[in-house]
Amino acid sequence: MVQSYLRHGPTQAFGLICSVSSNSVYDGKLAYVPALEDVLVWDMKKGHMLAMWHETGHRAEVTCIQRSPQQNMFAVGYADGSVRLWDSTLGSVRATFNGHRKAVTALAFDTQGVRLASGSQDTDLIVWDLVADVGLYRLRGHRDQITSIRFLPPSDQPSTSTGSSNGFLISTSKDTLLKLWDLSTQHCVQTVVAHRSEVWSMDLSPQQNIIFTGSGEGDLKAWKIDYDAVATGLKTTESGQIGKMIQPVATLPLSSRHRVSQVLFHDLQPYVAVQSHDRSIEIFRIRTEEEARKKLARRRKRAKEKEEKSKSKEKDLVDKADDDTGEIGLVDLFTPYLVIRASGKVRSFDFTTKDAAGHKARIQIFLALASNALEVYDIPPPPKSKDQVPEASRIYSLDIPGHRTDVRTLCLSSDDQILASASNGTLKLWNVKTTACIRTMDCGYAVCSTFLLGDRHLAVGTKSGDILIYDVASSTLIDTVKAHSSTVWSIHLRPDGKVLASGSADKEVKFWELEHKAIPEDESHSKKSLVLVHARTLKMSDDVLSLRYSPNGKLLAVSLLDSTVKIFYQDTLKFFLSLYGHKLPVLAMDISDDSKLIVTCSADKNVKIWGLDFGDCHKSIFAHEDSVTQVLFEKKSHFFWTVGKDKVLKYWDGDKFENIQKLEGHHNEIWALAVSHYGNFVVTGSHDKSIRIWEKLDEPLFLEEERERELEHLYENELAETLNQPDGTIGGGENTDGQPSAEVAAVTKQTMETLMAGERIMEALDLADNERAALRDFEDQKARAGTLEAAGLQPPPRNPILAALDLEPDSHVLRVVEKIPRTALYDALLVLPFGKVLSLMQYLDAWAKKGWNIALVSYVTFFLLKTHHHQIVANRIMRTTLIPMRIHLRNALRREKDTVGYNLAALQYLRRKSEAERTAHFFEEDLDESKVREKIAEGKKRKRVSIKA
């Protein structure tokens, strides 16, 4: 009989406030931040997490977040090149766009929120239509990762070009270039070498006339958009040069010469923020022209005072008049206002999109830190007097639900209720069921930890060689033991709970007896406190990396830096066995509950299983792609868990030496592992600062099926990759000479979803074609046979699927096509061979004739005609299908157009009626027209005003 195991599945990750993979968005109350593969929504005032946007089965990291002008829609870009549209009210995905081959690095919506532009590490720009849920076109031209994109609305001036209403797109890239794209012709109309090094950031002023770009060398440059040149298009000037639409203006001086990683204008207030240093953000205030003129006049006046004073008064007056009419430079308009210094390295920042809490003059700026924390600062209004220096004050801070640095050690209480996690600086206690952080305590650089008997105390070994004892109930540090002169790599409690052993890099294993001593609190009361008393020391030949007691309490295993494991009798400390075989040091080990097996894991990527009777190696397994950092047996079994620097958690059978399950979820090396005392779950802690719980499910797992699934997954990934090999435009031939491909291309990317969708269409077409062929044969037989014979003929049996669904062949095909998401439909249709395309065209004609889902029918028809134009034109049989289809489709579209026109007219009528009803009626004679208009406007704001004489 085949042995079955129980499958383990992931639960949500916790301990993560925000990750460094993406930017964050803040609206004055809620912060939308990346958390590896999820997006978290935090209420900054209360410090609560309101929502987690998680798509089951999707593991790629979030790399970019952008809010739509339609406030409840968010575009989120991922490391696998996909873009998802999330609805914040429902917390669900509205559409998924696949077009990029590498991580999405920049996103931008147009002013109405109906188009989305995405830029990626694969150097392509893609413009998506969010109404039809399709990719419009791919723009190629940059030679490196795209860093930022902005839509430029079409100029208000009349244009000779008919299609220029599509507007323009500005993009910057690490290839030092700034490009302006005309979306009506889908071509780059200007390329500017913006900086000498990579362009890291760019933003457009709210007036849409100034562009700021920041470089890797710390330069911040300003550029002006010439709307006259934009309106006239590419025309040569009198000197024979082509008119420049983007013109350089000035370079703004910054306080530091580090990389300008973000530039951001405030939407409503005259402020611009620049981040050019790890921990600080510079805020510039934009002066009005009047302020700038006064400043200029003062500066010139001071310069004059320094000159000799033997000049005539008339000359003075003339100069003063000149001053007032002097030209103001862009640099004069931007004045350094204040610098915000954060408590950690800043990953990204965002202004409030609306005035927070009704303070009209006050602005808040939100900071997402690389140290897994969020902060909000208040920017004060300009002070009245010159002596006052404006300073930003921190109003909200969110850092308790996570560690500042990576999680280095985990341990569970004996009842599996409390989880302790420690990192460099903090020790946290978590409720395992609710994953809420219960306590936070300060500690040194924690390396190992364990709960002591009774779960009332916790011991932590640190890098400085101390062992810290904490009281769990009062969450206080009760004792610091100077245990070793170097890092305490491992501590383990003897099974009877009376002795704690500690192993260190100072080549010593020390044994500590746990004693309760009475400490007098006052004259009448004394409190019992736990103290560690040094009992004995075992000196080793090399650094001690790990130690374990056997569960039967007889043996002590010690792993050393010389790649060996020494086993001693724990009572007499006499040498028993030496386990030799690893090529690199053993980082961790564990002994099974029956004390028969010891499993060791090493930096040589191998796991070895040994017998404890004679020290024989049962099996050596190449377990991970990188160092194996932790290993633990499941309680009361020979199954064990391993984690490594390859970000993977694996489950093994120690008797059959088989890998049962491979669990992927972490995005960085896994340092810590803890296994439930009841075998229900396992906990992992990683360098990505997240802690994950993997629960045992009721679902059985068979090894053969699991291996087959892994092979299928591998094959599917390779198939999708080969189909997505980069090439030229569709129908444009391949670029064999290595020349760059065409500047504009179609948006296609095959994924497993699109391949499966294509197969479903093919299956439906086969089924429907067979059914129709059988019906045709039956009709032919009836026509050939006599009347008596025809009456006795039985119709062919219906296909069981069609009979079960009670559908006709053509409606079944339509149902299959309708179920495919609009975003995947193009790519699914590209999978169809030409024979199936001809078959589908006949069904499209039938649907057009019956008036079924005309929008979808015309969409599919035009796409197929565009893609297979040459073959369809050359195929004479298609003529019989296309001519009636043209008539049917035109009639159906005319009907649809009439319906839409009628509905549009009705909506316009309703709008006019609503406006007429909202307008107040005035009968007072002394009001003139302007006052009446003011009152009407007031009425619109407040509700309704009706004044009668």
Side-chain angles (χ1 to χ4, degrees):
M1 188 179 159
V2 180
Q3 184 181 356
S4 71
Y5 303 88
L6 284 176
R7 187 181 292 280
H8 285 74
T11 60
Q12 69 179 56
F14 62 97
L16 202 61
I17 299 169
C18 67
S19 58
V20 295
S21 57
S22 160
N23 65 312
S24 305
V25 175
Y26 182 58
D27 67 0
K29 185 188 177 202
L30 305 180
Y32 302 86
V33 299
L36 302 177
E37 70 268 29
D38 306 326
V39 176
L40 304 182
V41 183
W42 293 97
D43 185 323
M44 285 304 297
K45 195 173 182 181
K46 295 176 182 171
H48 293 326
M49 187 170 83
L50 300 182
M52 174 189 269
W53 300 349
H54 175 79
E55 189 166 20
T56 314
H58 188 246
R59 284 192 54 254
E61 236 174 333
V62 173
T63 53
C64 193
I65 304 174
Q66 185 69 31
R67 189 170 198 160
S68 165
Q70 301 164 6
Q71 292 296 312
N72 63 331
M73 296 305 293
F74 286 81
V76 180
Y78 293 86
D80 61 355
S82 64
V83 178
R84 280 167 173 72
L85 273 187
W86 286 89
D87 187 327
S88 61
T89 47
L90 303 172
S92 61
V93 178
R94 208 209 77 187
T96 303
F97 300 113
N98 279 300
H100 292 290
R101 289 187 299 278
K102 290 185 182 172
V104 176
T105 52
L107 291 167
F109 284 95
D110 69 353
T111 46
Q112 281 87 35
V114 294
R115 281 181 304 172
L116 172 71
S118 62
S120 162
Q121 282 180 357
D122 63 10
T123 75
D124 290 353
L125 277 165
I126 297 180
V127 180
W128 307 90
D129 183 344
L130 303 185
V131 178
D133 284 346
V134 291
L136 296 173
Y137 38 82
R138 184 191 300 270
L139 300 171
R140 293 170 175 159
H142 282 292
R143 291 282 169 270
D144 207 337
Q145 173 187 321
I146 307 237
T147 50
S148 50
I149 317 169
R150 291 290 179 275
F151 272 96
L152 195 64
S155 56
D156 299 330
Q157 292 153 348
S159 169
T160 51
S161 169
T162 51
S164 65
S165 58
N166 285 339
F168 291 82
L169 196 67
I170 303 167
S171 64
T172 58
S173 162
K174 284 188 180 178
D175 60 7
T176 74
L177 303 178
L178 168 73
K179 280 179 177 278
L180 180 67
W181 307 82
D182 186 343
L183 297 183
S184 52
T185 59
Q186 295 152 29
H187 280 291
C188 177
V189 289
Q190 190 181 350
T191 300
V192 183
V193 181
H195 294 268
R196 283 187 302 178
S197 64
E198 300 168 335
V199 183
W200 274 95
S201 54
M202 180 260 288
D203 199 22
L204 196 60
S205 68
Q207 293 78 31
Q208 314 273 348
N209 59 349
I210 294 168
I211 306 168
F212 272 18
T213 57
S215 79
E217 289 182 347
D219 295 326
L220 181 66
K221 286 189 180 178
W223 310 80
K224 196 172 103 224
I225 301 167
D226 185 349
Y227 275 103
D228 294 335
V230 168
T232 53
L234 293 173
K235 287 191 177 175
T236 50
T237 56
E238 291 168 2
S239 59
Q241 292 181 333
I242 294 169
K244 299 273 173 66
M245 301 180 189
I246 297 174
Q247 294 163 351
V249 179
T251 301
L252 262 77
L254 294 176
S255 61
S256 65
R257 298 289 292 168
H258 296 84
R259 184 179 92 195
V260 181
S261 48
Q262 198 179 344
V263 181
L264 189 65
F265 280 92
H266 194 284
D267 287 343
L268 307 166
Q269 303 286 347
Y271 292 98
V272 60
V274 181
Q275 185 198 341
S276 65
H277 190 268
D278 281 352
R279 286 171 172 264
S280 63
I281 290 167
E282 283 183 74
I283 309 284
F284 289 87
R285 195 169 69 79
I286 307 169
R287 294 191 182 115
T288 59
E289 288 220 7
E290 192 183 336
E291 279 181 295
R293 281 189 199 286
K294 282 181 184 173
K295 182 87 178 169
L296 204 63
R298 278 203 301 275
R299 199 180 295 158
R300 289 186 179 172
K301 191 178 174 186
R302 275 194 223 108
K304 262 181 219 162
E305 284 170 3
K306 285 179 184 176
E307 289 174 11
E308 66 266 342
K309 296 174 183 178
S310 59
K311 289 189 177 181
S312 65
K313 278 188 179 181
E314 281 182 319
K315 182 112 171 34
D316 252 49
L317 288 167
V318 170
D319 283 347
K320 197 169 183 185
D322 287 348
D323 284 351
D324 288 341
T325 55
E327 197 62 40
I328 297 167
L330 189 80
V331 182
D332 300 326
L333 294 175
F334 291 87
T335 173
Y337 184 55
L338 58 86
V339 175
I340 296 169
R341 287 181 176 83
S343 59
K345 189 177 174 183
V346 180
R347 166 58 184 88
S348 75
F349 65 88
D350 193 18
F351 281 119
T352 47
T353 48
K354 54 179 182 286
D355 293 327
H359 298 301
K360 290 215 169 168
R362 300 218 155 212
I363 313 165
Q364 290 176 9
I365 187 166
F366 165 83
L367 273 56
L369 306 182
S371 60
N372 197 24
L374 307 173
E375 293 179 340
V376 177
Y377 287 83
D378 189 48
I379 299 171
K384 295 282 191 291
S385 68
K386 286 183 185 177
D387 302 333
Q388 287 178 306
V389 179
E391 273 192 20
S393 56
R394 188 168 71 185
I395 50 173
Y396 306 131
S397 176
L398 182 63
D399 57 4
I400 287 180
H403 287 282
R404 300 288 72 74
T405 54
D406 49 345
V407 180
R408 289 309 299 247
T409 172
L410 294 168
C411 60
L412 280 160
S413 61
S414 58
D415 58 0
D416 286 346
Q417 296 290 313
I418 294 174
L419 172 74
S421 67
S423 67
N424 180 5
T426 51
L427 166 71
K428 287 181 182 284
L429 299 180
W430 308 83
N431 181 329
V432 174
K433 279 185 181 170
T434 62
T435 67
C437 182
I438 311 165
R439 296 273 188 277
T440 300
M441 294 162 267
D442 291 331
C443 70
Y445 195 134
V447 177
C448 52
S449 62
T450 181
F451 273 97
L452 302 179
L453 203 65
D455 296 335
R456 293 188 177 188
H457 298 93
L458 185 69
V460 176
T462 66
K463 206 165 188 177
S464 57
D466 299 340
I467 295 177
L468 312 174
I469 307 294
Y470 289 89
D471 183 290
V472 172
S474 64
S475 66
T476 50
L477 174 66
I478 55 171
D479 197 9
T480 302
V481 182
K482 299 273 180 201
H484 295 272
S485 59
S486 190
T487 307
V488 181
W489 283 118
S490 182
I491 55 175
H492 198 225
L493 194 65
R494 201 166 74 185
D496 62 3
K498 292 178 181 174
V499 173
L500 182 75
S502 63
S504 163
D506 63 3
K507 305 181 185 179
E508 287 182 343
V509 176
K510 289 188 179 178
F511 300 89
W512 310 84
E513 289 179 353
L514 278 66
E515 291 184 6
H516 288 275
K517 280 193 178 175
I519 297 170
E521 283 189 322
D522 51 45
E523 291 175 5
S524 56
H525 292 285
S526 65
K527 188 174 118 185
K528 274 196 170 185
S529 182
L530 185 83
V531 288
L532 293 187
V533 179
H534 181 220
R536 51 187 176 163
T537 302
L538 175 65
K539 290 199 180 290
M540 304 302 294
S541 59
D542 215 330
D543 293 17
V544 178
L545 296 182
S546 175
L547 52 83
R548 303 297 286 186
Y549 279 106
S550 64
N552 63 10
K554 289 182 181 176
L555 303 172
L556 173 73
V558 181
S559 85
L560 303 176
L561 194 65
D562 63 6
S563 309
T564 62
V565 175
K566 303 274 193 287
I567 297 174
F568 301 88
Y569 291 104
Q570 74 86 18
D571 47 0
T572 60
L573 296 184
K574 276 189 180 174
F575 177 74
F576 172 46
L577 290 170
S578 178
L579 309 180
Y580 178 78
H582 281 290
K583 293 181 178 67
L584 288 169
V586 172
L587 301 176
M589 56 191 174
D590 197 23
I591 301 171
S592 63
D593 264 7
D594 56 8
S595 301
K596 287 184 179 174
L597 294 181
I598 178 168
V599 61
T600 57
C601 68
S602 160
D604 63 11
K605 309 174 190 176
N606 288 311
V607 165
K608 290 183 190 287
I609 301 159
W610 317 75
L612 261 183
D613 298 335
F614 309 106
D616 54 324
C617 180
H618 290 186
K619 186 75 174 173
S620 179
I621 306 167
F622 180 73
H624 289 262
E625 300 292 322
D626 209 332
S627 300
V628 189
T629 52
Q630 290 287 343
V631 61
L632 281 176
F633 270 106
E634 201 173 75
K635 299 292 182 255
K636 295 175 185 168
S637 76
H638 282 180
F639 302 156
F640 63 91
W641 293 91
T642 60
V643 293
K645 288 187 178 178
D646 60 354
K647 315 170 193 175
V648 179
L649 165 71
K650 290 187 178 182
Y651 189 31
W652 305 85
D653 186 333
D655 294 325
K656 294 190 173 181
F657 320 123
E658 292 271 13
N659 178 14
I660 302 168
Q661 204 180 350
K662 178 179 168 185
L663 294 161
E664 294 174 324
H666 282 291
H667 293 264
N668 234 314
E669 51 257 47
I670 305 172
W671 292 118
L673 174 70
V675 174
S676 153
H677 293 88
Y678 301 103
N680 301 334
F681 60 87
V682 58
V683 191
T684 52
S686 165
H687 186 70
D688 62 21
K689 303 186 184 74
S690 72
I691 302 167
R692 288 170 195 259
I693 296 178
W694 312 80
E695 286 185 341
K696 189 175 272 185
L697 310 171
D698 296 331
E699 186 187 339
L701 178 149
F702 299 97
L703 293 180
E704 287 85 3
E705 286 182 12
E706 197 65 14
R707 296 298 91 81
E708 277 176 24
R709 189 177 293 169
E710 282 175 18
L711 284 170
E712 269 179 31
H713 184 63
L714 203 67
Y715 168 71
E716 286 170 357
N717 283 350
E718 282 180 6
L719 181 67
E721 276 175 28
T722 50
L723 287 168
N724 290 323
Q725 288 299 322
D727 53 23
T729 51
I730 288 177
E734 288 202 354
N735 299 319
T736 50
D737 56 351
Q739 287 299 309
S741 51
E743 195 173 49
V744 66
V747 182
T748 59
K749 186 189 177 186
Q750 293 296 349
T751 61
M752 274 327 295
E753 288 77 27
T754 60
L755 293 174
M756 301 276 276
E759 282 175 13
R760 284 202 300 276
I761 296 174
M762 282 190 264
E763 281 170 16
L765 287 169
D766 284 337
L767 191 149
D769 285 347
N770 294 340
E771 187 76 2
R772 287 175 69 175
L775 280 168
R776 265 201 308 275
D777 290 347
F778 174 65
E779 294 296 335
D780 290 348
Q781 280 181 357
K782 268 177 78 174
R784 283 200 300 271
T787 43
L788 284 171
E789 282 178 34
L793 282 173
Q794 288 292 322
R798 286 186 77 188
N799 185 293
I801 295 172
L802 294 177
L805 296 170
D806 192 25
L807 289 172
E808 290 302 312
D810 49 357
S811 50
H812 172 62
V813 178
L814 179 63
R815 188 173 176 177
V816 169
V817 175
E818 279 177 336
K819 279 188 178 174
I820 296 166
R822 189 59 71 91
T823 48
L825 190 54
Y826 268 2
D827 293 318
L829 292 169
L830 285 173
V831 176
L832 302 183
F834 187 62
K836 290 281 177 279
V837 171
L838 299 181
S839 176
L840 184 57
M841 292 295 258
Q842 293 174 349
Y843 290 103
L844 288 166
D845 181 29
W847 300 338
K849 192 176 181 180
K850 293 175 182 175
W852 290 350
N853 200 339
I854 293 301
L856 181 72
V857 171
S858 48
Y859 178 84
V860 173
T861 307
F862 296 131
F863 178 72
L864 291 176
L865 287 171
K866 197 166 64 178
T867 309
H868 302 282
H869 178 257
H870 296 303
Q871 294 98 313
I872 288 171
V873 169
N875 194 325
R876 298 175 84 178
I877 308 164
M878 282 304 295
R879 191 174 174 81
T880 52
T881 313
L882 288 173
I883 292 169
M885 184 194 261
R886 184 177 65 179
I887 298 160
H888 297 148
L889 203 55
R890 278 190 175 171
N891 291 338
L893 286 170
R894 202 171 283 120
R895 286 197 299 275
E896 292 281 319
K897 188 183 172 189
D898 291 344
T899 311
V900 170
Y902 182 85
N903 289 341
L904 201 62
L907 286 169
Q908 283 169 348
Y909 167 72
L910 286 170
R911 187 175 71 183
R912 284 198 300 272
K913 190 179 174 187
S914 163
E915 282 177 359
E917 281 177 359
R918 275 168 58 193
T919 307
H921 299 285
F922 294 92
F923 300 110
E924 292 190 4
E925 292 168 11
D926 57 338
L927 289 174
D928 63 352
E929 192 183 343
S930 61
K931 285 183 181 177
V932 169
R933 285 190 184 282
E934 276 174 31
K935 288 262 184 186
I936 289 171
E938 232 177 89
K940 278 187 183 177
K941 281 180 202 165
R942 287 182 193 164
K943 224 178 175 183
R944 194 151 146 195
V945 180
S946 192
I947 302 170
K948 293 183 182 179

